[in-house]
Amino acid sequence: MAGHGAKLGRKQEDAIAALLSHQSIDEAARVCGVGARTLIRWLKLPEFGREYLKATREVVQQAVARMQQATGAAGTIALKLMTDPNVPAAVRLRAAEFVFDRAIKGIEIDDIEARVSELERAAHTSEGSRR
């Protein structure tokens, strides 16, 4: 690898991809053609660690986006289960609890966002008055 701040080499990029797609370090090392000890050593390098963390976050963000896209379908299913008289009562009750929980959580998040906005406005106003 080149000097400080340099881009990762092709093998290290392959290693990051392998780490993201395999169950173990041993499997990832085998797939990308390096030894497990080498891969463990690379994981301790700051620049490799930063790139691995960045790639991991991107994978998680993509998964979260897919889950967010499915919330409409999830809500529809919960409402159907809740209102279908052919569904067992325990399932309907659980679906109703789920709907209530999500509705309340939405209100709580709105309240927190309003409070944070108000605190930010107050902080900004007090900073301006000190100048």
Side-chain angles (χ1 to χ4, degrees), residues 114-127:
R115 287 175 163 177
V116 168
S117 292
E118 184 57 36
L119 288 169
E120 288 172 341
R121 273 194 296 278
H124 182 71
T125 302
S126 78
E127 283 178 13

Side-chain angles (χ1 to χ4, degrees), residues 33-46:
V34 300
R37 293 175 112 179
T38 298
L39 191 47
I40 291 167
R41 185 172 36 84
W42 285 352
L43 283 164
K44 294 176 184 175
L45 297 173

Side-chain angles (χ1 to χ4, degrees), residues 2 11 44 55 83 104:
K11 278 278 192 196
K44 294 176 184 175
T83 58
I104 290 168

Side-chain angles (χ1 to χ4, degrees), residues 81-109:
L81 289 171
M82 184 179 78
T83 58
D84 185 345
N86 297 317
V87 170
V91 173
R92 289 195 330 263
L93 175 61
R94 182 64 194 118
E97 289 172 337
F98 172 83
V99 169
F100 267 122
D101 288 346
R102 293 309 174 263
I104 290 168
K105 183 164 233 97
I107 290 170
E108 290 171 345
I109 289 170

Side-chain angles (χ1 to χ4, degrees), residues 18 25 33 38 46 76 79 100:
I25 289 177
T38 298
T76 299
L79 293 173
F100 267 122

Side-chain angles (χ1 to χ4, degrees), residues 47-67:
E47 54 277 345
F48 186 88
R50 279 192 297 274
E51 291 301 315
Y52 178 54
L53 181 60
K54 179 180 169 188
T56 302
R57 284 185 176 149
E58 289 172 7
V59 168
V60 171
Q61 287 171 339
Q62 289 170 5
V64 168
R66 285 193 303 274
M67 294 300 107

